[in-house]
């Protein structure tokens, strides 16, 4: 049953939307008002109309919020967010793959990465912006040396490059990033090139430098980030180096989750689950170099997602296992985050702003 409960502010306020795992006690998609002066969040309400909406994406006009349903069957859904609280818009659409973990808008389509089945799905958008039936399901092939996690392909993220010419899919199971072309007319996705990363690293998510010339691949199975050169003209991703995310090997295994690049391109922040920290890396040589400067506590346990607010001055960590979203003020000179506060958000998995 869907439930929504408003506790505060009108719809014109800047809001944060938090995805969560309803199967682990999450409230579904939670909406919160954002205080422009302090960054503090005030919960407005939530809807559990979609099961396990673990990742979210906002439409360009800010009227629709898209969510994956990270279930075995796998689906995508849209919410109308023109009022204070999200309301389901249209029907949920199957993605033709299992356990989708990520989605993004690309060339008038919604594209989802299906971790469980190791595939990427293209969903055309109707005139009202809601997703239609799948036009393409692209299946990855391959595996990696970690027999527990890399027995087959596991697409974890899909996103357009800054030029809008390409769609990149990051695959934890195959230690690679596929560069794909999306046909606007047919909604067909085809592989153009595949960049191989060091075996066993388990690439999870990728973030671009604001110049568009470099990309940083966060590796889940090793505490590192791979620095890559990106050439949009040829659709080529070239690994250059790896930078550590932790000052020393942790006593227990740590799993990096998300990377965020500063608006001015000077810093990269990465969330580490297990180590429960945020790594601060300085980006040098126009983005070609990355050096770990420090780590700070994430404010909770198991930070699954990290997001930068629209102003670029605050970071928000979705701490899944402690059930909170914690915000941090970022020192503009050093890039070091300092904790500002938190709200309760059971099984939090993602934060987006609109």
């Amino acid at each position: 049953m869907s439930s929504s409960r408003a506790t505060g502010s009108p719809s014109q306020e800047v809001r944060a939307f938090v995805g969560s795992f309803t199967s682990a006690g999450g409230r579904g998609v939670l909406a919160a008002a954002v205080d422009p002066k302090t960054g503090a969040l005030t919960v407005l309400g939530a809807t559990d109309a979609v099961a396990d909406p673990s990742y979210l994406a906002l439409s360009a006009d800010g009227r629709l919020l898209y969510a994956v349903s990270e279930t075995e069957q796998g689906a995508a859904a849209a919410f109308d967010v023109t009022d204070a609280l999200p309301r389901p818009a249209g029907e949920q659409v199957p993605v033709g793959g299992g356990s989708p973990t990520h989605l993004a808008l690309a060339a008038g389509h919604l594209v989802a990465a299906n971790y469980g089945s190791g595939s990427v799905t293209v969903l055309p958008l109707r005139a009202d912006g809601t997703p239609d039936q799948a036009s393409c399901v692209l299946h990855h092939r391959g595996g990696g040396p970690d027999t527990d996690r890399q027995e087959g392909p596991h697409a974890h993220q899909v996103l357009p490059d800054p030029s809008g010419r390409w769609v990149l899919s990051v695959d934890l199971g195959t230690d690679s990033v596929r560069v794909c072309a999306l046909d606007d007319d047919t909604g067909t996705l085809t592989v153009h090139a595949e960049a191989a990363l060091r075996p066993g690293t388990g690439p999870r998510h990728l973030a671009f430098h604001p110049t568009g010339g470099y990309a940083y691949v966060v590796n889940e199975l090793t505490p590192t980030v791979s620095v890559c050169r990106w050439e949009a003209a040829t659709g080529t991703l070239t690994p250059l180096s790896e930078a550590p995310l932790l000052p020393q090997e942790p006593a227990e295994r740590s799993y990096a989750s998300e990377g965020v690049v500063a608006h001015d391109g000077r810093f990269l922040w990465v969330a580490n689950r297990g180590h429960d920290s945020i790594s601060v890396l300085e980006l040098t040589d126009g983005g070609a170099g990355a050096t770990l400067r420090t780590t700070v506590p994430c404010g909770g346990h198991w930070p699954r997602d990290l997001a930068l607010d629209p102003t670029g001055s605050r970071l928000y960590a979705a701490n899944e296992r402690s059930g909170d979203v914690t915000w941090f003020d970022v020192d503009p000179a050093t890039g070091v985050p300092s904790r500002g506060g938190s709200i309760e958000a059971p099984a939090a998995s993602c934060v987006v702003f609109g």
Side-chain angles (χ1 to χ4, degrees), residues 98-124:
S99 302
T101 55
H102 193 270
L103 81 172
L105 292 160
H109 297 76
L110 192 63
V111 190
N114 308 313
Y115 179 88
S117 54
S119 59
V120 174
T121 301
V122 181
L123 303 170

Side-chain angles (χ1 to χ4, degrees), residues 149-185:
R149 297 292 308 279
Q150 297 182 309
E151 80 294 343
H154 291 298
H156 212 302
Q157 184 200 33
V158 61
L159 75 166
D161 84 302
S163 76
R165 295 181 58 184
W166 309 100
V167 175
L168 282 72
S169 60
V170 182
D171 196 303
L172 184 149
T174 63
D175 291 316
S176 63
V177 178
R178 288 169 177 80
V179 180
C180 301
L182 176 60
D183 187 300
D184 296 2
D185 296 327

Side-chain angles (χ1 to χ4, degrees), residues 48 53 57 59 79 87-89 91 99-100 114 151-152 170 186 257 280 293-294 298 307 332 347:
D48 60 2
S59 64
F79 293 89
R87 293 180 287 108
E91 299 294 326
S99 302
N114 308 313
E151 80 294 343
V170 182
T186 65
S257 61
V280 182
R293 292 307 183 195
T294 190
C298 69

